Structures are given as C-alpha cells and as structure tokens.
Amino acid sequence: MEVNMNAEQVIMEIQQLSANGASLNKKKIKKTHPELMRSALHYFPNWDNAIERSTM
C-alpha cells in the first residue's frame, strides 16, 4: 500500500476539512478523499484515532 502523506500531513488535512465544515464521516472520507484515508490508516490504528489526534 502506497502512502503519499506523512502523519503530520494527515493531521493537517483532517484539521483543514474540519475547519471548512466538511463531514469527517469515515465512509464519506473514504469515497471523497481515499488518499487521506489510506494514509491515516497507515499511521494511526483507526480513523477515529486519527481524528482524535488532529484535535490535540
């Protein structure tokens, strides 16, 4: 599995989506931002954990 983002970029992208009012629903992100989801699951145990880390 190829990932093009590092962990910091994943967090920044999640923060940006959240700030823009985008839904962070796992199914929606998987469909609209597959690279973000792939990278997030590479660096974090699950999507919810990636979201949690982005709010720290």
Side-chain angles (χ1 to χ4, degrees):
M1 175 169 61
E2 184 179 327
V3 292
N4 297 323
M5 303 171 81
N6 62 36
E8 186 176 321
Q9 289 172 316
V10 169
I11 288 172
M12 289 183 355
E13 183 74 17
I14 293 170
Q15 289 170 338
Q16 185 175 9
L17 287 170
S18 180
N20 291 338
S23 170
L24 296 179
N25 176 280
K26 183 178 181 176
K27 286 184 181 180
K28 191 164 194 160
I29 294 295
K30 198 172 192 176
K31 189 173 188 173
T32 59
H33 296 83
E35 182 181 320
L36 173 60
M37 180 61 71
R38 203 170 28 254
S39 297
L41 296 178
H42 179 79
Y43 294 109
F44 304 100
N46 56 52
W47 178 244
D48 291 333
N49 184 266
I51 292 172
E52 269 183 42
R53 294 288 295 275
S54 73
T55 61
M56 294 179 137

